[in-house]
Amino acid sequence: MSARPEHAPAPTRLRDYRPPAWRVERVELEFDLGIDATEVAARLHLRRDEAQDAPLQLDGEGLDLLAIALDGRALDAGEYRHDDRSLEVDGARDGSVLETRVRLKPAANTALEGLYLSGSREAGFLLTQCEAEGFRHITFFPDRPDVLARYTVTLRADRARFPVLLAGGNPDGAGELADGRHWARFVDPHPKPSYLFALVAGRLEKLERGYTTADGRAVKLVMWSEANVIDCCHYALDALERAMRWDEQAYGRNYDLEVFHVVATHDFNMGAMENKGLNIFNAKYLLADPDSTTDDEYRAVEAVVAHEYFHNWSGNRVTCRDWFQLSLKEGFTVFREQSFSADMNSAPLKRIEDVALLRRAQFTEDAGPLAHPVRPAEYREINNFYTATVYEKGAELVRMLAGRLGAEGFRRGADRYFARNDGRAATLEDFLAALGEANDIDLAPYLAWYGQAGTPRLKACGEYDATRREYALTLSQHTLATPGQPLKQPLPIPVKLALFDHGGRMLPLHLDDQPPAPERVVVLAAAEQRFVFRDVDAPPVPSLLRGFSAPVILECDYAPDELALLLTHDADGFNRWEAGQQLAARAYDALRDGGDDAAPAAWCAALAALFARDGLDPALLAGLLTPPGELELADRQAEADPARIHALRQALQRRLAEHIGADALHARYRALAAPAGLDLGAAGQAARRLKRRVLELLALVDAGQAFALAAAQYDHATGMTDRLAALAVLVHHQAPQAAAALAHFRARYDDNALALDKWFAVQAQVPGEPALARVRALEADPKFTLKNPNRARALLGSWASGNPSGFHRADGAGYALYAERLAELDALNPQIAARLATAFNGWNRLEPVRREAARQAMAQLAARPALSRNLGEILGNMLKA
Ligand code: TRP
Ligand code: ZN
C-alpha cells in the first residue's frame, strides 16, 4: 500500500544519472527584498553540452514569472513553456544569456525552504535555505549539485528595516539608493552548486574577530544574531576558531574567502547549513550561555560549528555529483567532526556517545521499514534521506576506511581526494579511489558497504585447545533482509581485538608471521573465517570490535563473568563500556524472562565495585551506570510492549541502586555536589554527569530523599545542566516538588525560546500513562506553536521519539493525536512533518494491539488528500512493512 499511488511521482534513480545538458558558468542575481514580496532578477550565462540534444529546462517552483528574455530579447509566450515545476525555453545556444524576473512571497513561506521570514513581521529577518532543492523556490535554475557556477549577488532593500545585507562570497561594494533604500554586492570566486547559495537581510547584531589562516590569509569571522542574544555567540566564535586551526593541522585545509559569516535563527528545519561563506544555524546549535545551556548542548554547539566549517572543504570545494552521493559530504564531515570533538574533549567518551547515537537512531532505522543503504538507489523526496544512515553510518564507513589505512595513510588519501576533486562534483567512487590509490590499496570491496542496507550481525565463536595451546576464533557474518533487498552479500569487516587472561591481563597475540602485539585488526572478508592464535596458555576472554571498529551487531556467547571481567579490566574505554552494555542487556533479558540470575548479579556486583573505586573518570562511570535505552532494548524482543520495557528497565536500575546502596549513593552525591559548580571544563562536566546519574539512581531506592536533594539542587543550581537534571528527576517521578519547579522555570525563562523548549521537552518525557494528558495541556499553552520547528520538536518529538512508554499507549490515543498533528504540520512544513512521522518507525515490531492501532493511525493519515510528497513517501514506506 502506498500513500497516494495515483499521484506519486516516479522515483529518482541513481542508475538514471546523466550529466547536465546545460550548465551555468556564471550567474548574476539581483534581489529587491521585501517581507511580503521580493523580486529576483537572474542572468544565467549558459553552456551547452554539445553531445546532448536536450532543450533548455530549468527547475522552478512556486515562482511568479514577471519577465523573461534570451540574449537580450524578451520572449513571446510561444517561445517558452512553464508549469508549476519547471520552465522550458526554446532557442538557447551555447553561450546564451537567459534573463528572468520572478516574484516571491517570503512571509507566506511556512515550509522554511527557499526565501523566508524568521521571527515576526516587525522585528524578524529574511533568510534562505537551499539544500537540497530550495534554490528552485528562489529563481529558475538547473537546481542540481553538479552544476557549478560563479555567483554575483546584489541585494537591495529599505535601510531602516534591513540594515544588514549579507550573501555568500566576498563583499564587492555597497551604497545608498533613493527612498531610504541601500544596496550591497557579493562576489563568490569559487564555483558552487545552487544548494550553497544564501542571503540574509534584516536587523542583526554582530560579534567579530580577525583570524589569520595557516597559509597567511586574513579572514574576518563574524557571528550574527538578534540583538538580545548577541552575547551568547562568544562560545561559538571560540569554537569556530578552534575548528579552523584543527582543520589546518589535521587535514591541511585552509579557509578561502575574506569573510566567514555565521547567522543564528530560531526558525530552521535542521541543525545548521554550510552555505559558502555564510553558514546559517539553528539558534539551538549556536547560542550558548551558562544560565540556559547544558553541558551536552555546549558540546553540540562546538560540534555543529565545526561540522559546518569542515564542509567548506568536504562538501563545498568538493561537492556531490548528485544527491545519491550525499554521504560523500555528510558521512565524511561527521567523521571529521567526531575526530575534532574527540580531540577537544574526552576521546573514549565521544566514541561512546557516537556509538550510542548510532545504535539508537541508525540501527533502529536499519532494522525497520525505512531501512536504506548509505547510498540509496532511489528516492522520491530527497529531504527524507538526510538520515542517521547517511550521516552516522556514513561516518562509520569513513572511520573504517581510515582505520584500514592508518592515520598517515588516511591523511595522504584525503590530500589526494581534495587535490584531485577540488572544484568538482564527485562520487563515492572518487573518494575510495583517491584513498586507495594514495596508499596502493584496493578499497573497492568497501563500496559494497555503501550499497547494502541493514546492520550486519557478526558472530564470534571461540574454541580453546589445551593440548595445542591454541585459541581459534571463528568469525561469521550475516545480514537480515531489508525492504527491496532480500539477499545480502558478505562485507569486509575489520575486527580490532585483544585477548585477556582470567586475571584481566592482556595477552600477546601470536597470529600469522607478524610480531606478537597486544592488539590486532583482523578483517573478516567472507561469510566465515577462522583465526588461530598460538601460544595461549589458558582459555582467554576475547575483547572484540574494540573501539567499535565496524558498525555491526556483535553476537558472542560470553558468560556473564567474562563480560564482568572486561567491564572491570578492559583498557579500551569504549569496550569496557560496551561489555557493561552487553551485560546489562543480558541482565534485562533475565529479568524479563525470569531466567537465571547470573547476569543481573554480575552486572550489579561489577558496577558496585567500580562505583566504590577511586580514580575512574566520573563521566565514564556515569556511562557505565546507564543501561541501554528503551528503544535499543525494544529490539531484543519480537513483540515490544513499551510500557513493560520501561518497567523492566526501571526494575533493572533499581536493582543496581539497591546493590550500591542508598547510603553510598547519597555519600557520592554529597561529594560531587560541591565541586560541580560552573566549570565548563571536562572535570566539571564529568562531575555533573555523574551527579545526575547518582541522583536518578537514588530516586529509585529513596525517593523522598532524592526529591529533597533534587529540589535543593534546582533552587541552588548555578547552571542549566544541574537545574535541568534536577527538574527532570522531579517531573519524571511526579514528585510533589515538581509543580513549583516547573512554574519557576517557566516564569524565569519565559522570553528564552531555547530554554522554554526544554521546559516543554522535559514534561513531554514524563513516562507512561500521564504523558498524553500532559502533551494535550501543553499544546494549549500560548507559547506552543506548530510553526516553529524547535517548539514542535520539543513537545511532539520529545514525546513520540523520546518517550516510548508515554507515546505507545495500548489504547492508541497517542497515535491518533500524533497523526492529527502531523496532518496539520504537513500543511505548514512538509519537511518537519515527514521527519516527525519517523517516530512510527518500529511500529511493525510492537505487540499486536499497539501494532494495529499504529497501523490504523498511519493508514488514515496516508489516505488524507493533498499530503506532501515528503510525508507521503515516509508513510508509504512505513506501511509497506
Ligand atoms: N547540509 C546540512 C548539514 O548537515 C544539513 C541540511 C540539509 C539542512 N538540508 C537542510 C539544514 C535543510 C537545514 C535545512 O550540515
Ligand atoms: Zn553536514
Side-chain angles (χ1 to χ4, degrees):
M1 187 188 338
S2 106
R4 295 160 59 209
E6 65 282 17
H7 311 294
T12 306
R13 296 203 166 86
L14 169 59
R15 63 159 192 267
D16 293 340
Y17 175 81
R18 298 283 172 281
W22 292 85
R23 297 176 185 272
V24 179
E25 197 163 60
R26 207 148 54 77
V27 50
E28 290 136 31
L29 295 171
E30 297 187 20
F31 288 80
D32 285 294
L33 293 161
I35 285 172
D36 291 307
T38 286
E39 288 191 17
V40 187
R43 281 169 62 87
L44 275 49
H45 299 258
L46 297 161
R47 307 267 30 165
R48 172 186 190 135
D49 174 0
E50 301 298 342
Q52 297 187 56
D53 182 29
L56 174 62
Q57 237 172 10
L58 303 171
D59 302 299
E61 285 182 34
L63 303 174
D64 188 1
L65 180 60
L66 304 176
I68 178 165
L70 186 65
D71 297 321
R73 183 178 66 80
L75 295 181
D76 296 335
E79 293 176 288
Y80 63 94
R81 284 152 302 283
H82 161 220
D83 62 19
D84 55 354
R85 298 193 63 114
S86 68
L87 171 69
E88 192 173 292
V89 180
D90 299 334
R93 298 166 291 104
D94 187 46
S96 279
V97 177
L98 180 74
E99 292 169 272
T100 61
R101 187 168 185 87
V102 300
R103 188 186 294 120
L104 321 173
K105 295 180 179 149
N109 179 353
T110 58
L112 314 190
E113 176 186 40
L115 178 68
Y116 66 96
L117 172 68
S118 173
S120 68
R121 300 180 53 85
E122 299 70 36
F125 62 96
L126 293 175
L127 74 163
T128 55
Q129 170 56 40
C130 291
E131 190 178 5
E133 298 179 335
F135 195 66
R136 64 187 62 189
H137 295 267
I138 293 174
T139 193
F140 289 103
F141 201 81
D143 191 13
R144 43 188 287 172
D146 56 354
V147 172
L148 306 186
R150 288 199 172 76
Y151 283 69
T152 299
V153 180
T154 306
L155 306 178
R156 289 187 289 264
D158 182 80
R159 183 186 269 290
R161 181 64 187 84
F162 301 101
V164 175
L165 300 174
L166 301 172
N170 291 321
D172 187 52
E176 298 303 317
L177 294 166
D179 303 333
R181 289 160 58 79
H182 68 146
W183 65 275
R185 181 167 301 132
F186 300 85
V187 174
D188 191 342
H190 302 282
K192 69 186 172 199
S194 51
Y195 81 87
L196 291 174
F197 166 83
L199 75 79
V200 169
R203 281 186 211 105
L204 294 166
E205 284 301 320
K206 68 177 165 185
L207 191 66
E208 201 175 309
R209 178 178 302 177
Y211 179 91
T212 306
T213 61
D215 61 1
R217 182 194 284 270
V219 183
K220 220 164 60 174
L221 311 180
V222 200
M223 298 276 154
W224 297 90
S225 76
E226 284 161 299
N228 58 332
V229 287
I230 190 66
D231 290 332
C232 301
C233 291
H234 289 277
Y235 181 79
L237 187 53
D238 290 344
L240 174 60
E241 206 176 327
R242 292 197 289 279
M244 293 177 80
R245 285 287 169 239
W246 186 90
D247 211 17
E248 291 167 355
Q249 279 154 18
Y251 284 86
R253 300 294 120 199
N254 287 266
Y255 187 61
D256 55 5
L257 289 171
E258 296 159 24
V259 284
F260 187 69
H261 295 289
V262 183
V263 179
T265 170
H266 284 283
D267 299 286
F268 210 61
N269 283 347
M270 307 252 258
M273 181 62 213
E274 70 264 25
N275 316 301
K276 183 81 188 187
L278 177 51
N279 286 0
I280 299 181
F281 274 63
N282 186 329
K284 181 174 166 51
Y285 295 104
L286 198 76
L287 307 182
D289 76 318
D291 189 52
S292 54
T293 306
T294 64
D295 293 340
D296 289 350
E297 290 173 319
Y298 268 101
R299 280 180 292 115
V301 167
E302 180 182 60
V304 179
V305 165
H307 178 107
E308 304 311 328
Y309 175 72
F310 296 157
H311 268 316
N312 191 54
W313 276 93
S314 49
N316 301 2
R317 287 289 285 260
V318 181
T319 194
C320 301
R321 185 192 73 173
D322 54 67
W323 293 119
F324 296 102
Q325 320 298 325
L326 181 57
S327 197
L328 177 66
K329 76 177 177 79
E330 296 304 346
F332 188 20
T333 302
V334 170
F335 172 71
R336 278 152 55 69
E337 164 211 319
Q338 290 175 348
S339 314
F340 165 76
S341 294
D343 284 355
M344 296 298 122
N345 303 284
S346 150
L349 274 176
K350 176 64 182 156
R351 191 66 188 129
I352 289 168
E353 274 176 7
D354 291 341
V355 174
L357 170 67
L358 184 78
R359 288 191 172 133
R360 189 167 65 239
Q362 201 279 323
F363 281 21
T364 49
E365 185 166 83
D366 237 356
L370 302 181
H372 56 275
V374 172
R375 178 161 64 183
E378 60 173 62
Y379 60 79
R380 289 176 196 277
E381 171 50 62
I382 185 55
N383 282 304
N384 288 337
F385 285 83
Y386 287 75
T387 59
T389 297
V390 168
Y391 277 64
E392 265 64 46
K393 186 174 179 180
E396 292 299 322
L397 302 190
V398 177
R399 181 182 298 270
M400 228 166 25
L401 295 167
R404 173 77 183 77
L405 301 177
E408 275 175 37
F410 183 67
R411 170 65 193 271
R412 212 165 30 243
D415 286 351
R416 169 94 54 122
Y417 168 70
F418 287 125
R420 189 186 287 172
N421 296 288
D422 191 7
R424 289 191 54 225
T427 62
L428 286 156
E429 281 83 356
D430 293 328
F431 184 61
L432 291 184
L435 294 183
E437 284 166 29
N439 290 281
D440 273 322
I441 293 178
D442 178 16
L443 293 174
Y446 284 86
L447 252 189
W449 273 100
Y450 287 91
Q452 184 163 295
T455 309
R457 281 157 200 270
L458 173 69
K459 201 163 173 202
C461 233
E463 267 176 298
Y464 181 66
D465 183 333
T467 48
R468 309 176 66 139
R469 295 174 57 243
E470 278 179 2
Y471 178 70
L473 188 65
T474 305
L475 298 177
S476 61
Q477 59 172 301
H478 115 106
T479 303
L480 299 175
T482 55
Q485 271 192 344
L487 298 177
K488 305 289 182 179
Q489 60 180 115
L491 302 170
I493 300 180
V495 181
K496 192 188 271 190
L497 52 82
L499 297 178
F500 283 80
D501 70 15
H502 278 264
R505 284 172 298 266
M506 265 165 114
L507 302 170
L509 303 180
H510 299 264
L511 187 55
D512 28 45
D513 41 11
Q514 307 239 359
E519 181 180 85
R520 283 285 299 272
V521 180
V522 300
V523 180
L524 172 62
E528 180 172 315
Q529 246 169 295
R530 223 166 101 95
F531 301 89
V532 179
F533 299 89
R534 301 180 309 269
D535 302 324
V536 185
D537 288 328
V541 180
S543 167
L544 301 169
L545 218 62
R546 306 186 103 211
F548 206 63
S549 58
V552 302
I553 295 168
L554 176 63
E555 294 172 346
C556 179
D557 275 333
Y558 285 109
D561 63 320
E562 293 179 318
L563 288 170
L565 178 124
L566 294 175
L567 167 57
T568 310
H569 295 290
D570 202 328
D572 180 309
F574 172 80
N575 260 36
R576 164 182 264 185
W577 172 78
E578 177 65 4
Q581 294 288 292
Q582 300 274 344
L583 188 52
R586 298 273 289 276
Y588 167 86
D589 292 348
L591 288 196
R592 183 192 56 208
D593 304 337
D596 175 343
D597 197 53
W603 186 61
C604 291
L607 286 178
L610 287 172
F611 189 86
R613 199 166 99 184
D614 267 344
L616 196 60
D617 172 5
L620 178 60
L621 180 57
L624 295 176
L625 293 169
T626 310
E630 291 173 23
L631 290 177
E632 244 184 279
L633 292 172
D635 282 343
R636 299 185 72 77
Q637 48 249 317
E639 302 198 326
D641 171 350
R644 176 137 194 271
I645 293 170
H646 175 75
L648 283 167
R649 187 170 180 273
Q650 290 296 94
L652 182 66
Q653 296 183 89
R654 184 169 301 114
R655 168 114 184 232
L656 174 63
E658 280 163 356
H659 199 103
I660 295 174
D663 290 345
L665 289 167
H666 190 208
R668 180 59 77 94
Y669 180 86
R670 289 270 175 237
L672 289 163
L678 249 184
D679 167 24
L680 259 183
Q685 290 197 32
R688 283 186 291 274
R689 195 192 282 218
L690 181 57
K691 191 167 71 166
R692 173 177 192 154
R693 188 80 276 256
V694 166
L695 188 60
E696 288 166 347
L697 289 172
L698 191 61
L700 296 171
V701 285
D702 186 349
Q705 189 187 35
F707 296 165
L709 291 173
Q713 177 173 319
Y714 180 89
D715 288 341
H716 301 124
T718 45
M720 185 52 99
T721 308
D722 275 351
R723 186 171 298 122
L724 190 62
L727 185 65
V729 166
L730 295 175
V731 171
H732 295 170
H733 288 272
Q734 299 183 267
Q737 299 92 328
L742 280 171
H744 174 270
F745 193 103
R746 174 57 191 264
R748 174 160 177 179
Y749 293 107
D750 203 44
D751 314 317
N752 182 332
L754 297 176
L756 213 50
D757 285 338
K758 296 188 253 277
W759 183 83
F760 279 97
V762 75
Q763 297 182 75
Q765 293 190 330
V766 60
E769 175 66 27
L772 180 68
R774 198 61 86 91
V775 170
R776 284 221 171 93
L778 289 167
E779 281 190 323
D781 189 288
K783 285 278 164 82
F784 182 71
T785 169
L786 287 175
K787 290 195 173 142
N788 178 264
N790 286 357
R791 191 57 47 86
R793 278 186 286 252
L795 181 59
L796 299 174
S798 303
W799 172 48
S801 295
N803 182 4
S805 69
F807 176 60
H808 296 280
R809 297 166 59 96
D811 65 6
Y815 306 139
L817 175 66
Y818 199 61
E820 196 59 46
R821 292 302 166 265
L822 291 180
E824 288 169 46
L825 250 177
D826 194 43
L828 294 167
N829 188 329
Q831 282 184 36
I832 298 299
R835 193 154 287 264
L836 286 179
T838 63
F840 279 112
N841 195 30
W843 72 275
N844 55 319
R845 301 182 59 205
L846 291 165
E847 54 77 24
V849 172
R850 287 174 172 85
R851 191 195 312 152
E852 179 52 22
R855 194 197 57 75
Q856 269 189 25
M858 279 188 290
Q860 281 171 16
L861 179 56
R864 294 205 187 205
L867 276 199
S868 69
R869 183 161 52 144
N870 308 57
L871 185 56
E873 180 180 38
I874 295 289
L875 292 174
N877 287 342
M878 205 83 93
L879 287 166
K880 276 187 213 148

